[in-house]
Amino acid sequence: MVELRSYVAGRWVGAGASPQTLLNPATEEPLARAGSEGVDLAAALHHARSVGGPALRALSFAERGALLKAMADSMQAQRDELIALGIANGGNTRSDAKFDVDGAIGTLLAYVETAAALGERRFLVDGEGIQLGRSARFHGQHIAVPRHGVAVHINAFNFPAWGFAEKAAVALLAGMPVLSKPATSSAMVAFRVVERLVEKNTLPEGALSFLAGSPRDLVSLLGAQDVLAFTGSGSTGERIRTSPNIVRESVRVNVEADSLNAAVLGPDLAARSDMYELFLKDVVRDMTQKAGQKCTAIRRILVPAEILSSVRDDLKELLATITVGNPADEDVRMGPVATADQRADVHQGVDALQGKIVFGSLEKRNKGFFISPILVESPGDVVHEREVFGPVASLLPYQEDPAAIVARGKGGLVCSIYSDDQAFIEETALGVAPFHGRIFLGHPKIELSPGPGTVLPQLVHGGPGRAGGGEELGGPRGLSFYMQRVALEGARPVIQKLLG
Ligand code: NAP
């Protein structure tokens, strides 16, 4: 069995005496063990702050970009191995695993471009200079400089490669050292990524630390210059955010949590139109890709009441083509969910929805954490409250104003709209906008449309309310979380010299 070690303070630390066992979710075969018992967390943070931070801050954005390029190259070189690990440890189909690994590499490369655009500076110049007095001499300018702490990244189980890379890329480019902690159940992919980066000396000493296993009291050790970016459930996010030291020291925290993403079908579409087919395709992809374990997956499907039954029939027909099974088998289109706990949570969630299951069932298999895709109709109001993190979505008919129904989800990552009616698009998009981080306007002419479920590094990811209130990525916008914005106020020539 593989031992997942932690890489802290410049050395590897073993899994300790009471590690957690990681399984293959399709076969329940034990694959690896991980534990953080032997890790001195305070020393790990100190090393990152005192060695990794100065090393990164000495580099320009362009030089940090070269590090990201080397990380992307390293992952590209081990791509096949990572995909195989995603299949074995994550229950991913080959296509799911590629989505994770290629998403990671693509995000790193997108930030290589951001780095090139920022050039040889070590800090950001934020906006134009401002004349503050009657004469041009009294001048103001905002800049942003890297914080002097550690960027602690706590990730969810569903995207072990992408989750690691999307956070690490932005923090390292901003000039902050990273301590990355993957969710334990699916940590094999992230461990191998980091193991190779360390083997090849890809990053300066102290720039990247890795914690395998329980976070223990990591959060309580963070201070005022540290930042914490968390992705996971709303309940863990709440616990982290309210830790006394986080509150007392104003530790900057970004939370990416649950989301009841909605897809809205406009009232204007004829069945079998290209837009209607795109809508069906996106819904089915989101329900089944990664067995529905995507934070951005469509959970609520809003359709005009008069065509509800035909949408239901069309979705059922498409869902019936999805083969569920061991993703090691190439014909399988959907694997199991990640853990036994996750399956139990999905079962409870479907019960809680109190709707009619019009496709799929909660039947268990003898081995493996399998669930069929499940389409629910006539759910209770809880459909706007509870995220069922699996291959589950609910059909909701609307008569008018779908935006008001979508808003009942109290904050989401993405809402998708499928319509050819410009007035409907505008009213719905602007109606749902205050409740979302992103709005996806489906269009059949967009070539290779990734659908609403794909997070793009150029655009912000996050959402208000239930979604955690956070924001990540968005090209250079993402850097600001890791940097301190400061206003320079003084004589213009002095400030201009300082800016170089
Ligand atoms: P989770 O149980 O909250 O765990 C997330 C991470 O937090 C794991 O690394 C976990 O470590 C760690 N953790 C647990 N308790 C902690 C504590 N007290 N202090 C510090 N860290 C702690 O969530 P999950 O089951 O992995 O992920 C599923 C959820 O993530 C879903 O609700 C989904 O919507 C959400 N998600 C959101 C996004 C987004 O971008 N908004 C993306 C992906 C997933 P261990 O694994 O070691 O327990």
Side-chain angles (χ1 to χ4, degrees):
M1 204 168 11
V2 179
E3 181 187 24
L4 305 191
R5 296 164 298 156
S6 297
Y7 185 71
V8 290
R11 67 187 187 94
W12 289 103
V13 180
S18 44
Q20 196 176 315
T21 303
L22 283 69
L23 305 178
N24 177 326
T27 61
E28 301 186 35
E29 172 203 355
L31 298 175
R33 54 204 171 86
S36 62
E37 214 177 61
V39 176
D40 181 340
L41 292 170
L45 293 168
H46 176 73
H47 182 78
R49 286 181 198 121
S50 57
V51 179
L56 285 166
R57 293 196 297 274
L59 303 178
S60 67
F61 287 112
E63 288 167 325
R64 294 175 206 152
L67 298 178
L68 302 188
K69 175 73 170 66
M71 288 172 76
D73 290 346
S74 174
M75 290 187 73
Q76 187 65 45
Q78 59 177 176
R79 182 172 178 269
D80 288 344
E81 181 194 356
L82 298 177
I83 290 170
L85 284 174
I87 294 171
N89 183 211
N92 295 178
T93 61
R94 192 170 165 74
S95 149
D96 290 343
K98 278 198 224 163
F99 186 54
D100 183 31
V101 174
D102 293 343
I105 296 169
T107 303
L108 283 162
L109 292 177
Y111 275 95
V112 172
E113 284 180 27
T114 306
L118 294 172
E120 293 307 320
R121 285 187 185 281
R122 293 190 175 81
F123 59 85
L124 284 178
V125 177
D126 177 354
E128 299 293 313
I130 309 152
Q131 182 172 325
L132 298 172
R134 284 203 183 156
S135 84
R137 182 158 288 272
F138 189 27
H139 188 74
Q141 174 70 55
H142 293 96
I143 61 168
V145 296
R147 292 189 144 218
H148 278 205
V150 190
V152 170
H153 294 162
I154 299 180
N155 282 312
F157 69 83
N158 53 347
F159 284 100
W162 203 336
F164 159 77
E166 68 179 1
K167 286 186 169 61
V170 187
L172 293 170
L173 180 56
M176 279 194 87
V178 168
L179 186 152
S180 187
K181 191 213 113 44
T184 305
S185 63
S186 62
M188 290 181 81
V189 172
F191 170 70
R192 265 307 287 151
V193 171
V194 175
E195 199 177 38
R196 191 172 196 279
L197 293 174
V198 172
E199 254 166 44
K200 304 278 176 197
N201 275 322
T202 313
L203 294 167
E205 166 80 28
L208 178 64
S209 311
F210 179 77
L211 187 65
S214 163
R216 299 189 359 241
D217 60 346
L218 175 65
V219 173
S220 70
L221 299 172
L222 302 184
Q225 283 287 310
D226 300 320
V227 304
L228 172 58
F230 167 80
T231 297
S233 61
S235 54
T236 309
E238 187 178 332
R239 202 170 325 137
I240 285 175
R241 225 199 276 272
T242 51
S243 298
N245 64 305
I246 297 286
V247 176
R248 193 179 53 244
E249 305 234 4
S250 309
V251 178
R252 205 177 265 183
V253 176
N254 191 72
V255 173
E256 300 291 346
D258 313 347
S259 182
L260 295 162
N261 313 296
V264 182
L265 181 65
D268 53 302
L269 298 178
R272 310 274 86 89
S273 66
D274 288 350
M275 183 74 87
Y276 178 77
E277 296 294 334
L278 177 72
F279 160 80
L280 295 177
K281 188 171 146 212
D282 283 353
V283 169
V284 171
R285 172 171 42 199
D286 264 16
M287 285 180 70
T288 56
Q289 189 173 44
K290 290 217 145 231
Q293 300 164 113
K294 280 190 317 190
C295 54
T296 48
I298 296 165
R299 308 285 175 204
R300 299 176 295 161
I301 311 163
L302 273 75
V303 301
E306 59 278 15
I307 57 163
L308 179 77
S309 65
S310 64
V311 174
R312 177 213 304 130
D313 292 346
D314 290 336
L315 285 175
K316 282 169 68 173
E317 198 180 313
L318 288 172
L319 289 170
T321 66
I322 304 293
T323 337
V324 180
N326 187 336
D329 175 351
E330 297 244 326
D331 297 334
V332 160
R333 297 265 311 275
M334 191 178 99
V337 294
T339 60
D341 282 354
Q342 201 53 41
R343 180 180 57 188
D345 193 59
V346 172
H347 282 202
Q348 282 164 16
V350 172
D351 286 344
L353 288 176
Q354 295 171 344
K356 180 173 168 213
I357 296 180
V358 293
F359 183 89
S361 80
L362 292 175
E363 206 178 310
K364 281 190 188 172
R365 297 191 189 183
N366 287 342
K367 273 269 180 249
F369 313 130
F370 293 101
I371 303 178
S372 75
I374 292 178
L375 185 64
V376 174
E377 207 171 302
S378 312
D381 282 351
V382 70
V383 72
H384 304 295
E385 292 288 333
R386 170 141 187 181
E387 180 201 48
V388 185
F389 204 60
V392 181
S394 298
L395 267 171
L396 303 174
Y398 73 85
Q399 305 281 354
E400 54 187 29
D401 198 8
I405 301 175
V406 174
R408 293 180 65 191
K410 295 193 190 134
L413 297 171
V414 58
C415 176
S416 46
I417 301 170
Y418 301 82
S419 170
D420 282 325
D421 176 343
Q422 190 64 23
F424 176 83
I425 293 172
E426 279 177 33
E427 195 182 325
T428 310
L430 296 178
V432 300
F435 306 95
H436 291 86
R438 179 162 59 91
I439 296 168
F440 177 86
L441 304 171
H443 200 286
K445 293 240 160 66
I446 299 174
E447 279 168 47
L448 301 174
S449 165
T454 301
V455 171
L456 299 171
Q458 298 87 348
L459 300 180
V460 292
H461 172 62
R466 184 188 311 283
E471 187 178 284
E472 291 182 321
L473 300 171
R477 287 176 186 84
L479 299 179
S480 59
F481 178 66
Y482 298 98
M483 304 185 89
Q484 180 61 39
R485 180 157 44 216
V486 56
L488 298 175
E489 178 187 359
R492 186 172 171 191
V494 176
I495 290 177
Q496 284 184 334
K497 269 201 197 123
L498 192 152
L499 298 181

